[in-house]
Amino acid sequence: MPQAAVGVSPAEASAYVGIDTLQEQTRVRALRRGYTFNLLVVGRSGLGKSTLINTLFKSPVARRKEGQEEPLPSTTQVKKVETTVCEGGVKLNLTITDTPGFGDHINNANCWEPIVSYIEEQYGRYLTEEQKVYRLLRIPDSRVHCCLYFIPPSGHSLSSLDVEVLQRLDKVTNVVPVIAKADTLTLEEREAFKERIRADLHDHGIKSYPLEDTAVHDDAKMKVRLPFAVVGSNQWHEVHGRKVLGRRSTWGLVEVENKAHNDFACLRDMLIRTHMQDLIDSTSDYHYENFRRTKLSVVPNGEDAANRKEEAQSKL
Ligand SMILES: Nc1nc2c(ncn2[C@@H]2O[C@H](COP(=O)(O)OP(=O)(O)OP(=O)(O)O)[C@@H](O)[C@H]2O)c(=O)[nH]1
Ligand SMILES: [Mg+2]
């Protein structure tokens, strides 16, 4: 027998159905199932993509053992780093996929192709599994929920290569542009650069995440800091007896986690605390659905199923 909500009159209590317990039921189901979140990092060579992944894994997302580390080699192939994080009984399967940087060649045409193929391959796997007669109750989800796109800290504007890659990526996944190596720009330069990038994204019709019309809580406060200007580091430093990740130079220390120094913590908050569920849902409901519809509407001999349906209907 469901329990009537506290503070309701006897008349209301007799009419109480218990729909409000759905929230608790959903919570229990989510606890049991856990969450899967897949992040992809993309951008030109040497912008700190691999370093930022390490930073995320060292920061409270998934703290690993401390220690000074060797410099990272340049990434030459797609590499996945997986971990399971448990907090307050909630299990998160987190996968971050690192990709080799591009833009080093004289001809960078089609440099986005391997990345778009990788994203579509994950949709394809999911679709194949979904279409099986005897399918898994819970299909393993390797679909990319969010793509972090690293913008060089040029301080000018988006380059034509960045525009071209972003225009391809926003069609297939949620893209969050970030300004790399933010410690190389002054605070004024950062703000001006952010404004310029926001205008460039708008002018080129690039739909970066979160979209203009999404209203996930705390959006307004977060949106003024977009695109996030981030700093990554492998090195621990001691500040007033605390160990912090940061980058030390002769004039001082840039703390990775300090929101006054850069937006790394804001980015992490958005990815984990405020927008993770929305990123997962929009991948499934929008990007995957687009892929699925395109795949299924083309029959093997190249004829479009939608046209055939229209033809059939017109004959009726
Ligand atoms: N100033 C500064 N340097 C950084 C930052 N993050 C990384 N670096 C340095 O930039 C260099 C390249 O870093 P990686 O993380 O290997 O860059 P990447 O984007 O993975 O490079 P590829 O794998 O070649 O595409 C290293 O020397 C890092 O120490 C940052 O936030 N600020
Ligand atoms: Mg790398």
Side-chain angles (χ1 to χ4, degrees), residues 116-127:
V116 171
S117 304
Y118 174 83
I119 295 170
E120 292 191 329
E121 204 180 294
Q122 312 313 311
Y123 291 147
R125 281 188 192 180
Y126 198 89
L127 183 60

Side-chain angles (χ1 to χ4, degrees), residues 45-51 72 74-75 101 181 183-184 231-232 247:
S45 189
L47 285 184
K49 300 182 292 301
S50 305
T51 307
L72 291 166
S74 181
T75 313
K181 300 188 177 181
D183 52 315
T184 60
V231 169
R247 303 191 75 85

Side-chain angles (χ1 to χ4, degrees), residues 34-38 92-93 141 143-146 174 209 271 275-288:
Y35 292 85
T36 298
F37 187 66
N38 304 314
L92 170 69
N93 300 312
D141 193 359
R143 294 172 298 181
V144 173
H145 298 119
C146 178
N174 295 315
Y209 185 90
L271 294 178
H275 287 63
M276 183 179 279
Q277 189 62 58
D278 188 61
L279 284 161
I280 295 172
D281 289 344
S282 54
T283 299
S284 177
D285 300 347
Y286 181 70
H287 296 295
Y288 172 65

Side-chain angles (χ1 to χ4, degrees), residues 50 65 78 86 94-95 97 105 112 119 130 143 147-149 159 170 183 201 210 252 254 278 282 284-286 306:
S50 305
K65 69 173 193 305
V78 172
C86 276
L94 176 68
T95 303
T97 307
H105 305 288
W112 56 84
I119 295 170
E130 206 179 48
R143 294 172 298 181
C147 168
L148 288 187
Y149 187 85
S159 68
D170 78 345
D183 52 315
L201 291 172
V254 180
D278 188 61
S282 54
S284 177
D285 300 347
Y286 181 70

Side-chain angles (χ1 to χ4, degrees), residues 87-249:
E87 211 175 78
V90 180
K91 197 175 88 179
L92 170 69
N93 300 312
L94 176 68
T95 303
I96 307 188
T97 307
D98 198 2
T99 59
F102 52 79
D104 281 349
H105 305 288
I106 293 171
N107 182 3
N108 291 301
N110 301 347
C111 62
W112 56 84
E113 258 173 12
I115 301 153
V116 171
S117 304
Y118 174 83
I119 295 170
E120 292 191 329
E121 204 180 294
Q122 312 313 311
Y123 291 147
R125 281 188 192 180
Y126 198 89
L127 183 60
T128 309
E129 200 56 49
E130 206 179 48
Q131 284 179 312
K132 285 185 181 165
V133 177
Y134 298 102
R135 60 184 180 185
L136 294 167
L137 199 59
R138 294 205 61 213
I139 300 172
D141 193 359
S142 63
R143 294 172 298 181
V144 173
H145 298 119
C146 178
C147 168
L148 288 187
Y149 187 85
F150 284 62
I151 299 169
S154 69
H156 302 300
S157 58
L158 279 184
S159 68
S160 53
L161 180 62
D162 288 323
V163 168
E164 203 152 1
V165 180
L166 282 164
Q167 281 175 334
R168 312 281 161 153
L169 287 176
D170 78 345
K171 309 277 180 304
V172 289
T173 190
N174 295 315
V175 186
V176 173
V178 295
I179 299 171
K181 300 188 177 181
D183 52 315
T184 60
L185 298 169
T186 66
L187 293 180
E188 292 77 22
E189 284 166 346
R190 262 188 236 179
E191 284 320 304
F193 193 33
K194 281 182 179 193
E195 214 162 286
R196 188 64 205 261
I197 292 172
R198 284 196 291 260
D200 280 350
L201 291 172
H202 180 265
D203 294 349
H204 293 286
I206 297 165
K207 292 193 177 74
S208 64
Y209 185 90
L211 298 176
E212 292 291 312
D213 49 359
T214 47
V216 183
H217 78 275
D218 225 8
D219 246 4
K221 230 163 77 190
M222 187 200 73
K223 273 184 177 167
V224 294
R225 292 186 86 136
L226 291 172
F228 295 128
V230 296
V231 169
S233 174
N234 285 334
Q235 308 288 322
W236 294 97
H237 300 273
E238 200 154 320
V239 176
H240 308 305
R242 284 182 305 125
K243 283 218 157 172
V244 297
L245 276 172
R247 303 191 75 85
R248 190 187 293 287
S249 52

